[in-house]
Amino acid sequence: MHRQIQNQPKATIETANRTADRAVEFVMKGAKLIKVRSKLSKNERLFSVEPDGLILSYKGSRKRMCSNKKKENRFLLTEIQEVRTGAQSDAFSIAYGKKHRYPLDSQCFSLVIGEEGYMLDLVAPNAEQRDLWVTGIQECRSRLESRLTNPEEAVQLWTKKLFSEVDSNKNGVLSPKEIKHLLNRMNLDVTLEDIEKVVKKPMLSSDDLLQFLKDILQKRELVEDIFKRYDKNQMYWTKYELKQFMTKEQKEDLTLEECEKIIDEMETCPELKRNHCLGLTGFAALFESERMHLKNPDTRKVYQDMNQPLSHYFISSSHNTYLESDQLKGYSKTECYIKVLKNGCRCVEMDVWDGDTEPVIYHGFTLTSKLLFSDVIKVINKYAFCKTKYPLIVSIENHCTVDQQRIMAEIMKSIFKEKLFLDALLPNSNFLPPPSQLMGRIVVKCKKLSPEIVKQESRTTMAAIGNGLRASSGSDAPISATDVSDDELEDVKEQYDIALEFSELVNICQNGRFKSFEDSKVNQDFTFILSLSETKALKLAKRSPEEFIQHNKRQLSRIYPAGSRVGSTNYDPVPFWLVGCQVVALNCQTPDEPMQLNGGLFGDNGGCGYVLKPDFMRAFTTKTSFSPDGIFPNNWHKTLNIRILSGFSLPKKEGDRSKSILDPYVQISVVGVPRDRKTFKTKTITNNGFHPVWNEKFTFFISCPELALLYFQVCDYEARRSDVVIAQYCLPVRCIQRGYRAVHLRTLGGEKLEASRLFVCVEIT
């Protein structure tokens, strides 16, 4: 019996592996699925994962009525954000109707693709095939992601993708015209006459293309120059040269054993690897590895103290989370909650109004579409802790009547269950609990009945409220405290616009009205959170920064966009972080500069959604002397020298299918306290987005590095219109590694770009 128990895990693993292998074989063979778009659009298509495990493709409709050729649709498996089982999307509801939606549940699944969250809704012939598709795609994606951790493998896969996209007749070689198309896709400006000089062959195979790219990667000026500088025999490095390079240039003190390990991981030549030597190809691969990122790898996991009060952290926050676009007529979607939660957001918002049978979520008095409150709560419950286990704050703008508030309370209790934070605070508590004590818990933020109103003994308060209500209805009959019965007390509570059942769910984040910082200090305890518009908060930040910082040591402050931002634009979040505001809520659906700065800040500390404020913004022992406009101690000051060396495989402008080639330049900024803000930009490189070389040095003098962000924007110069930002990257200055580093660029919406890089050299003194 004991032997059977011991062997069970191994047998289970073997069974799971066989199931995964069978599923992978099935999806690579391919099968027909019904692609669902609407009630009138349910079409059968042949889907398959290509043999290299890189791309999911299907044959779509014919391009023209007179053409027999069907359009092929292809998606990188790494673009698939999620494989979602069941008929969960809006398309299924529209196509099959509520009554017929759920019998198909076991056959349905959806693929969420790209940063925009494009939904591919599919129906399999039966439940078994649905499960094979789900398992097969997930397994292929997992295997692909494992392969991509190897720089050599990543280049090979990227090459295969490029090659297959331009090999129009699928004959395995590229004609001169196809080669020109390929080089144009790579942002290289060449004529057909130049192609033979570039590739030295009239036809190009996939292996030829791979070798061509490898040659470019290892012959980049940066890689070759550095390699030759430490290469005594001009052929390879030993572990001693690698150690010298890592110590002198990268400021990393590695042992010889660690250097040997790097060589074993990066070198592909068997002979060099056997002798623990690193050649030029291996060194080029090292430059593509995570070790050489600009961002310190230690910051990619939770490393900060998570035992401080909640008020001591910046908290990643979303405004009007349900909206997909603008504030007047945009769609409301549960998918918007999924997206921000998967990105590590720790405060989501909903505007809740009375519905027919249960509350609904939408932007009141506008044409935005409506969501059922229960549907949103189900989604939040499922995805709340998919990215991070640290607490989630659900901010509710409550516009409901008392009866529907009771329904809200019941829905949250029945769905969130033990996740809902309802614990009593410790006696004599003076501070909010820390994130570490709230792991896996959901905190409700809203208005709350005051203890005086809840207590039945406070009949005088109830009487006063009752008098006010009766006066408003035209009654002159006064009410005395002794006239209020228990039943009348309950009636008055209901009329007071907050249901007791709902109020009981609000614990450590109850809304408070702001009169002054002194009033908050005297009349509000640490469980009150202030909600301020950007306009009012900015005035306070400019007029009373030290008081604002002091207030934010003890209580939370939430900042939200002005009502005039109907297009869902964002304000600059930095002035509010500088005075310690924790919940700086942005329109996450808008990929603008404020959201990119937000992504830079919250990319720190493992992307867990909580970033510890500097100690000078949270120490209780003495009153703060810090002010964003003040003078800072000399020992805080840093000088950041950064040389923008070159770029590689910069992306085309979004949606650009033209033959135009980028004219790129880099704009680099430090964003922080006012005196630290500075922006430089490189010269423009004409017609070269594949490997532009700038080699320009810029110097930033930073007086408060703890609150500074370094922000890169890669732009395409336009002579007749505004320049276009095509890629970006942002990170806290404290996370920067010194030496020769790679900046792994992102889209404007924050998604990683496959192969797009900047190469820089950093000195910090």
Side-chain angles (χ1 to χ4, degrees):
M1 183 71 177
H2 179 64
R3 184 178 300 168
Q4 288 178 341
I5 292 172
Q6 279 188 324
N7 292 338
Q8 188 175 358
K10 184 178 179 181
T12 303
I13 292 170
E14 289 175 352
T15 302
N17 288 339
R18 284 197 298 270
T19 302
D21 290 341
R22 176 172 169 252
V24 169
E25 184 181 350
F26 174 80
V27 298
M28 287 189 174
K29 183 178 179 182
K32 289 183 177 180
L33 296 166
I34 294 174
K35 180 173 172 284
V36 176
R37 291 185 64 187
S38 67
K39 192 172 184 178
L40 299 176
S41 180
K42 292 175 276 191
N43 303 301
E44 194 175 69
R45 301 282 184 251
L46 178 62
F47 283 77
S48 65
V49 173
E50 295 182 4
D52 57 12
L54 183 64
I55 290 168
L56 172 72
S57 63
Y58 71 92
K59 294 285 182 67
S61 57
R62 291 179 177 85
K63 292 181 178 179
R64 303 179 189 88
M65 293 295 291
C66 59
S67 172
N68 291 323
K69 188 176 181 180
K70 291 187 175 182
K71 180 184 177 183
E72 187 174 48
N73 296 271
R74 311 168 84 251
F75 303 98
L76 268 175
L77 287 181
T78 51
E79 292 180 301
I80 298 175
Q81 305 295 316
E82 184 183 358
V83 183
R84 197 174 297 168
T85 56
Q88 297 186 45
S89 76
D90 296 336
F92 284 120
S93 298
I94 295 168
Y96 294 101
K98 293 277 185 183
K99 293 182 180 178
H100 302 93
R101 174 183 174 189
Y102 295 103
L104 285 168
D105 204 59
S106 62
Q107 295 168 237
C108 299
F109 67 104
S110 301
L111 304 179
V112 185
I113 299 171
E115 65 177 304
E116 298 300 323
Y118 168 69
M119 298 286 288
L120 193 57
D121 298 301
L122 304 167
V123 183
N126 52 57
E128 182 186 7
Q129 283 200 28
R130 191 283 301 270
D131 292 344
L132 283 170
W133 274 107
V134 170
T135 304
I137 291 173
Q138 288 175 332
E139 181 64 22
C140 287
R141 187 175 62 165
S142 176
R143 292 178 184 181
L144 178 59
E145 287 173 350
S146 297
R147 290 162 66 190
L148 288 172
T149 58
N150 182 304
E152 181 84 7
E153 188 83 18
V155 173
Q156 289 182 17
L157 292 171
W158 181 58
T159 304
K160 287 180 181 178
K161 174 180 176 285
L162 283 173
F163 189 92
S164 63
E165 285 175 350
V166 297
D167 184 15
S168 54
N169 56 7
K170 307 301 178 189
N171 65 350
V173 292
L174 301 184
S175 66
K177 188 175 180 180
E178 288 171 331
I179 295 171
K180 179 171 174 56
H181 185 202
L182 168 69
L183 296 177
N184 182 270
R185 289 286 303 274
M186 294 163 62
N187 267 311
L188 274 171
D189 184 27
V190 292
T191 63
L192 288 171
E193 292 75 23
D194 294 330
I195 286 175
E196 191 169 344
K197 297 177 185 177
V198 176
V199 299
K200 299 182 180 178
K201 282 189 175 185
M203 303 291 278
L204 196 69
S205 69
S206 180
D207 289 340
D208 293 332
L209 176 61
L210 178 61
Q211 188 58 52
F212 169 60
L213 289 175
K214 280 183 178 178
D215 289 345
I216 291 176
L217 283 170
Q218 71 184 44
K219 289 180 180 177
R220 286 176 298 188
E221 292 86 347
L222 167 65
V223 177
E224 272 193 311
D225 289 350
I226 297 171
F227 192 80
K228 289 177 181 177
R229 198 181 306 163
Y230 291 89
D231 177 21
K232 294 177 181 178
N233 53 29
Q234 297 188 352
M235 291 180 64
Y236 57 81
W237 283 5
T238 67
K239 58 186 176 183
Y240 299 101
E241 282 82 42
L242 179 57
K243 178 175 172 59
Q244 186 183 4
F245 165 74
M246 296 301 289
T247 302
K248 185 176 179 180
E249 306 288 357
Q250 307 300 87
K251 312 304 179 187
E252 293 184 52
D253 188 17
L254 301 183
T255 64
L256 290 173
E257 290 74 20
E258 288 172 321
C259 292
E260 274 192 9
K261 186 179 179 182
I262 291 173
I263 291 171
D264 290 342
E265 289 174 356
M266 298 299 153
E267 185 52 62
T268 55
C269 172
E271 185 178 353
L272 288 174
K273 194 169 188 173
R274 189 165 48 251
N275 292 291
H276 301 296
C277 294
L278 188 72
L280 182 56
T281 302
F283 184 59
L286 174 61
F287 253 87
E288 294 295 318
S289 69
E290 285 196 3
R291 176 177 286 278
M292 305 297 278
H293 284 200
L294 179 64
K295 189 175 185 179
N296 188 327
D298 292 340
T299 67
R300 295 177 205 143
K301 58 181 183 292
V302 176
Y303 69 95
Q304 294 178 344
D305 179 7
M306 303 304 287
N307 298 308
Q308 298 285 322
L310 211 60
S311 57
H312 288 187
Y313 298 85
F314 298 118
I315 303 172
S316 179
S317 306
S318 165
H319 172 67
N320 285 359
T321 312
Y322 51 90
L323 285 176
E324 183 186 46
S325 56
D326 67 82
Q327 310 279 318
L328 294 179
K329 52 184 174 26
Y331 284 105
S332 303
K333 291 189 175 182
T334 55
E335 190 66 35
C336 298
Y337 287 91
I338 296 172
K339 185 176 180 180
V340 300
L341 291 170
K342 291 178 77 173
N343 284 334
C345 180
R346 292 293 82 195
C347 180
V348 295
E349 188 192 23
M350 55 186 73
D351 288 284
V352 191
W353 301 77
D354 281 0
D356 294 335
T357 57
E358 70 166 273
V360 293
I361 294 171
Y362 80 111
H363 202 206
F365 307 110
T366 68
L367 299 177
T368 57
S369 60
K370 299 176 181 179
L371 299 170
L372 289 177
F373 181 76
S374 58
D375 284 348
V376 172
I377 295 302
K378 287 174 186 174
V379 163
I380 290 174
N381 184 61
K382 181 176 179 180
Y383 290 92
F385 304 106
C386 63
K387 168 76 173 179
T388 168
K389 298 300 180 185
Y390 288 101
L392 175 69
I393 300 171
V394 176
S395 178
I396 298 176
E397 288 296 314
N398 176 17
H399 306 280
C400 292
T401 57
V402 169
D403 285 342
Q404 294 229 345
Q405 287 178 42
R406 291 195 179 105
I407 296 172
M408 287 166 61
E410 183 55 39
I411 288 170
M412 285 192 283
K413 285 192 286 188
S414 63
I415 294 174
F416 289 153
K417 297 180 180 176
E418 70 282 351
K419 293 176 188 173
L420 202 56
F421 181 69
L422 302 174
D423 303 10
L425 297 176
L426 294 173
N428 302 318
S429 295
N430 292 315
F431 311 114
L432 288 165
S436 59
Q437 289 184 12
L438 299 170
M439 300 278 278
R441 307 300 291 275
I442 294 173
V443 176
V444 175
K445 172 200 165 292
C446 197
K447 293 179 186 175
K448 182 178 178 68
L449 288 171
S450 68
E452 291 78 13
I453 293 174
V454 173
K455 290 179 182 177
Q456 292 189 11
E457 292 80 9
S458 183
R459 300 181 188 275
T460 304
T461 304
M462 292 299 100
I465 295 167
N467 278 322
L469 291 169
R470 292 194 182 186
S472 65
S473 64
S475 172
D476 295 325
I479 300 176
S480 68
T482 55
D483 290 334
V484 182
S485 67
D486 288 346
D487 289 338
E488 287 175 321
L489 184 68
E490 290 301 314
D491 290 339
V492 173
K493 274 192 236 174
E494 289 184 11
Q495 294 177 63
Y496 192 60
D497 87 2
I498 302 176
L500 180 61
E501 296 86 343
F502 181 77
S503 177
E504 288 173 342
L505 304 187
V506 182
N507 193 342
I508 58 172
C509 282
Q510 57 175 311
N511 289 356
R513 186 181 297 277
F514 179 77
K515 295 179 182 178
S516 68
F517 290 123
E518 184 61 29
D519 177 76
S520 296
K521 182 178 179 181
V522 173
N523 296 316
Q524 295 176 350
D525 66 23
F526 59 90
T527 65
F528 281 86
I529 175 172
L530 299 183
S531 285
L532 303 169
S533 73
E534 60 171 290
T535 308
K536 186 171 184 177
L538 192 58
K539 288 178 182 177
L540 291 170
K542 289 180 177 179
R543 188 174 65 224
S544 310
E546 293 186 27
E547 284 186 276
F548 214 158
I549 292 168
Q550 196 69 14
H551 170 89
N552 286 326
K553 292 179 180 181
R554 190 175 69 107
Q555 292 177 232
L556 295 175
S557 294
R558 179 180 180 271
I559 314 301
Y560 59 88
S564 58
R565 294 185 181 273
V566 294
S568 296
T569 57
N570 282 307
Y571 55 85
D572 181 2
V574 176
F576 307 110
W577 292 331
L578 295 180
V579 290
C581 295
Q582 304 88 350
V583 186
V584 180
L586 298 177
N587 290 306
C588 294
Q589 71 270 38
T590 305
D592 53 12
E593 287 188 19
M595 271 303 298
Q596 291 155 18
L597 297 175
N598 193 74
L601 175 65
F602 290 106
D604 193 10
N605 203 28
C608 75
Y610 286 84
V611 173
L612 189 64
K613 293 193 281 189
D615 57 0
F616 54 81
M617 299 185 82
R618 51 190 168 86
F620 283 107
T621 51
T622 57
K623 186 174 180 180
T624 182
S625 59
F626 171 79
S627 172
D629 294 310
I631 297 175
F632 310 110
N634 288 334
N635 61 348
W636 289 13
H637 293 206
K638 299 285 184 186
T639 300
L640 170 64
N641 290 303
I642 184 161
R643 185 179 292 277
I644 309 292
L645 296 161
S646 63
F648 178 72
S649 184
L650 302 180
K652 281 183 172 286
K653 288 170 284 191
E654 189 174 348
D656 184 8
R657 299 294 178 188
S658 70
K659 297 178 181 179
S660 64
I661 304 297
L662 290 180
D663 300 325
Y665 66 87
V666 179
Q667 185 165 287
I668 180 172
S669 307
V670 164
V671 181
V673 299
R675 67 187 301 179
D676 288 348
R677 286 195 172 227
K678 189 85 173 176
T679 298
F680 297 103
K681 69 177 183 179
T682 66
K683 60 181 178 286
T684 299
I685 304 297
T686 305
N687 284 341
N688 187 352
F690 183 66
H691 180 40
V693 176
W694 292 283
N695 198 23
E696 294 184 58
K697 182 179 178 181
F698 306 103
T699 299
F700 296 92
F701 300 102
I702 305 175
S703 56
C704 188
E706 283 293 308
L707 291 171
L709 299 169
L710 185 64
Y711 182 35
F712 296 88
Q713 292 171 294
V714 181
C715 307
D716 181 30
Y717 172 74
E718 296 280 1
R720 297 183 180 179
R721 51 188 172 184
S722 299
D723 297 351
V724 179
V725 180
I726 56 170
Q728 57 84 28
Y729 187 74
C730 184
L731 77 165
V733 167
R734 64 175 174 270
C735 299
I736 293 174
Q737 294 198 98
R738 293 179 289 177
Y740 290 96
R741 300 294 173 182
V743 179
H744 289 237
L745 296 170
R746 293 177 175 265
T747 65
L748 304 190
E751 292 293 314
K752 293 178 181 177
L753 288 163
E754 291 171 49
S756 299
R757 309 277 190 270
L758 293 178
F759 295 95
V760 300
C761 184
V762 178
E763 297 175 6
I764 302 177
T765 56

